[in-house]
Amino acid sequence: MALNLKQYSEMLKENSVQVVYSGPIWSNGIASMADMLIKRLEYDDMPFRASQAVFSVFVEQINNMMMYTAEKEVRAEGNSDPKEMPMGIFVLGIKENNYFIQTGNLVSNANAEILKSRIDHLNSLDKESLRKYHKTKVREEDNNKDSKGAGLGLIVLARQTRSPMKYEFVRHDDEHQYFSLYLDIR
């Protein structure tokens, strides 16, 4: 049985969900999502520091999905070469006056193992150790051959959260896992 729009709306409200996006992620789309998020934070009259943290996590998470998702939507437009657009899901919600962001995307098994290890390590650090670790990593090279960045994204996320990062990996097929990351924002 399919839910109607009113039922979906009620379900989202009951679960404190304010914003949901699922589908292809491209730079122009991100700009629109960012604008919508800024308007939402302004509407909520959120303190500046908290809104900065939410926005920072949003940018980092969308960037991570764009760079590392294993799922791509391919579109051919006219006679031009087909375009690959990364796929993912983004959820923003408010529970007890605190924002949360949850994202999900497909990752390779190798990247899943790297993510598990890195998140577990970051979750084991206190605030000061995390700050020092960040300084150290800024000077190092990333050891992930599939990395397209400096490897600092998860550290940035860990520094912006109120509690340990919560994650889940679900087997998709022999080569991929679905990665979900839940963050309570400071």
Side-chain angles (χ1 to χ4, degrees):
M1 179 178 121
L3 298 176
N4 64 39
L5 287 178
K6 183 178 179 190
Q7 291 169 317
Y8 276 119
S9 178
E10 289 170 3
M11 180 183 67
L12 294 173
K13 189 174 182 179
E14 286 173 18
N15 290 295
S16 307
V17 173
Q18 304 297 313
V19 176
V20 176
Y21 178 79
S22 178
I25 303 167
W26 61 96
S27 55
N28 290 348
I30 291 172
S32 297
M33 288 173 60
D35 187 48
M36 180 216 28
L37 179 59
I38 288 169
K39 298 273 190 264
R40 179 71 214 196
L41 296 172
E42 288 172 355
Y43 174 79
D44 291 342
D45 199 24
M46 196 173 188
F48 181 71
R49 184 172 178 180
S51 63
Q52 276 187 314
V54 169
F55 194 77
S56 174
V57 168
F58 162 77
V59 169
E60 190 59 47
Q61 283 297 81
I62 294 294
N63 188 46
N64 285 344
M65 285 192 292
M66 282 186 69
M67 291 196 307
Y68 299 112
T69 189
E71 183 179 13
K72 312 277 188 196
E73 181 177 298
V74 179
R75 287 199 180 165
E77 297 176 5
N79 294 332
S80 64
D81 291 332
K83 294 181 181 180
E84 284 190 352
M85 291 183 285
M87 302 288 289
I89 185 167
F90 170 85
V91 176
L92 170 74
I94 305 170
K95 273 191 176 177
E96 300 167 8
N97 295 323
N98 292 313
Y99 280 81
F100 67 86
I101 290 179
Q102 184 165 2
T103 54
N105 60 287
L106 205 60
V107 296
S108 69
N109 287 336
N111 277 340
E113 291 307 313
I114 291 168
L115 284 166
K116 287 177 193 176
S117 174
R118 288 183 177 179
I119 293 170
D120 288 342
H121 175 70
L122 293 170
N123 281 343
S124 74
L125 301 176
D126 62 26
K127 190 176 182 175
E128 182 60 24
S129 299
L130 196 52
R131 187 186 66 74
K132 289 178 182 176
Y133 184 67
H134 181 254
K135 276 185 160 182
T136 302
K137 292 307 263 183
V138 165
R139 296 181 189 102
E140 289 181 8
E141 233 177 87
D142 189 12
N143 64 352
N144 179 0
K145 66 178 177 54
D146 295 327
S147 181
K148 298 169 184 85
L152 300 172
L154 288 174
I155 300 169
V156 169
L157 295 176
R159 293 184 74 191
Q160 297 293 338
T161 60
R162 296 171 32 86
S163 58
M165 295 182 282
K166 298 173 190 157
Y167 66 88
E168 180 179 30
F169 290 91
V170 176
R171 183 183 184 277
H172 179 73
D173 58 31
D174 290 342
E175 298 175 12
H176 301 96
Q177 296 181 44
Y178 191 82
F179 171 52
S180 179
L181 183 62
Y182 180 93
L183 306 166
D184 284 316
I185 313 301
R186 294 179 192 230

